[in-house]
Amino acid sequence: MFRTKRSGLVRRLWRSRAPVEGDGETDRGTHGTGGCCMGKATKVAKSNAGSEAELKSLTHSVLKKIKEKQLELLLQAVESKGGARSPCLLLPGKADAKVGQQSYSLPMLLYKVFRWPDLRHSSELKRLSCCESYGKINPELVCCNPHHMSRLCELESPPPPYSRYPMDYLKPPDSPDSGPSSSDTVGTTYSAPVGLSDSLALQESGDRAHWCVVAYWEEKTRVGRLYSVQEPSLDIFYDLPQGNGFCLGQLCSENKSQLVQMVRAKIGYGIQLTREPDGVWVYNRSCYPIFIKSATLDNPDSRTLLVHKVFPGFSIKAFDYDKAGSLQRPNDHEFTQQPRTGFTVQISFVKGWGQCYTRQFISSCPCWLEVIFNTR
């Protein structure tokens, strides 16, 4: 039977749809349990045969109305899981599709099929900086590229005003068994010839072009030099099909730990840092959770900072400039040790730290980042 190129593209797209629980394909790194304060993620039960057939029929019907070139671009984005650059997929935003008793807009249908089967409402989504055509060319057309969107990370209710960390964590810095600070240089081995004080040097040099600097660490060892960021958006990754930015895979690491090597290999597409008008957002592009600690994510009345778990495909506003200017945490050892001219956000790949985990300090995590913001 003769089959058109369009039909072949549609079949490949359907085979690349987001798996649901019961498919046997669900990435075990996509969802999980635990975490002090984590992004909301839910598993979706596998659809019954009737609704699955109905969804397939509807999706095929919708895709076959899209131009072949647009199908090719969509397929590139879906098969690369967002790793390949793909332009906006502009389609009529008001077109509705119905599955059973549920009615979805065309963008929502594509987002559910190719990214998040449990997606319920567009308010759960955040448009990424790579989406440049939304509402600019034609107000009737909206971008339906599933990888131009992310899920919003929902945090738990504010914690009560007491420390979630052991009291040992609040011991004076010169205490022999006190927890290490991210800015401590004593007793820390560096693979680069310069210490973390580089961040102060950068900020005191009068160079206001950069809005943050990034340091990559493996446990207590910093690997490579500080990465100064001038562009509004930065990709930080280990391996990315198409991408420029901070490539961790190119850094020479002397750490032979099997755990470090395993986590390095899982960083994959990593994260995207984006400076936006309301603050700095972090988008988890990898297949595994990341963990974030930031002064502006928590209740100002809490005595210490909590660690927040962010699942794959989710975004979180990791830093708020307005909040940062008014925060004071005299009881938080890590906070008081930060450079006076900036604030630091810590991000760990795959492995978390804090009271909910066996690792109490981020310096025990296999692979982590320190993002130091220039707030001048």
Side-chain angles (χ1 to χ4, degrees), residues 182-219:
S182 61
S183 297
D184 289 343
T185 56
V186 179
T188 301
T189 303
Y190 294 92
S191 60
V194 287
L196 190 58
S197 57
D198 297 349
S199 59
L200 288 175
L202 280 170
Q203 293 177 348
E204 293 172 355
S205 66
D207 176 17
R208 298 192 179 188
H210 75 281
W211 58 271
C212 76
V213 291
V214 181
Y216 170 62
W217 296 73
E218 291 177 355
E219 297 172 331

Side-chain angles (χ1 to χ4, degrees), residues 287-330:
C287 293
Y288 295 85
I290 60 173
F291 300 82
I292 296 181
K293 188 163 87 164
S294 167
T296 65
L297 276 175
D298 295 322
N299 186 339
D301 295 329
S302 62
R303 294 178 60 187
T304 58
L305 307 182
L306 300 180
V307 178
H308 300 265
K309 187 175 185 178
V310 182
F311 287 97
F314 281 71
S315 287
I316 188 171
K317 185 163 72 170
F319 190 73
D320 187 309
Y321 286 97
D322 292 336
K323 288 184 179 180
S326 60
L327 284 177
Q328 291 183 351
R329 294 176 182 272

Side-chain angles (χ1 to χ4, degrees), residues 38-240:
M38 58 190 233
K40 181 181 291 185
T42 56
K43 287 188 176 181
V44 181
K46 184 171 177 63
S47 306
N48 60 53
S51 59
E52 175 78 2
E54 187 178 4
L55 179 63
K56 179 178 180 179
S57 175
L58 176 62
T59 304
H60 277 62
S61 175
V62 168
L63 294 177
K64 286 178 179 178
K65 296 177 183 178
I66 300 176
K67 297 178 181 178
E68 280 189 12
K69 185 169 182 60
Q70 290 179 312
L71 286 175
E72 290 175 347
L73 295 174
L74 176 60
L75 182 64
Q76 182 185 30
V78 170
E79 288 190 336
S80 70
K81 301 186 185 302
R85 297 189 189 96
S86 56
C88 292
L89 178 64
L90 296 176
L91 298 172
K94 294 183 179 180
D96 288 335
K98 195 169 184 179
V99 181
Q101 300 300 317
Q102 295 291 327
S103 181
Y104 303 103
S105 65
L106 180 55
M108 281 288 289
L109 176 66
L110 297 183
Y111 301 154
K112 286 178 66 67
V113 170
F114 295 112
R115 290 297 302 274
W116 304 288
D118 63 321
L119 185 64
R120 294 162 296 180
H121 195 271
S122 59
S123 62
E124 301 174 35
L125 299 173
K126 182 185 186 301
R127 197 164 298 277
L128 297 172
S129 60
C130 60
C131 186
E132 300 176 348
S133 303
Y134 183 77
K136 295 181 180 178
I137 298 178
N138 185 336
E140 299 297 321
L141 301 178
V142 298
C143 178
C144 299
N145 188 329
H147 288 279
H148 281 196
M149 304 295 292
S150 67
R151 292 282 290 272
L152 277 170
C153 183
E154 299 179 18
L155 304 180
E156 290 179 346
S157 58
Y162 59 81
S163 173
R164 289 270 187 104
Y165 288 103
M167 290 306 296
D168 288 347
Y169 194 66
L170 302 179
K171 289 183 179 180
D174 55 356
S175 176
D177 56 349
S178 62
S181 164
S182 61
S183 297
D184 289 343
T185 56
V186 179
T188 301
T189 303
Y190 294 92
S191 60
V194 287
L196 190 58
S197 57
D198 297 349
S199 59
L200 288 175
L202 280 170
Q203 293 177 348
E204 293 172 355
S205 66
D207 176 17
R208 298 192 179 188
H210 75 281
W211 58 271
C212 76
V213 291
V214 181
Y216 170 62
W217 296 73
E218 291 177 355
E219 297 172 331
K220 294 182 180 180
T221 302
R222 203 187 81 197
V223 181
R225 300 178 70 92
L226 288 173
Y227 190 100
S228 180
V229 185
Q230 290 85 29
E231 297 297 325
S233 183
L234 171 69
D235 289 327
I236 304 175
F237 56 92
Y238 184 82
D239 184 26
L240 190 63

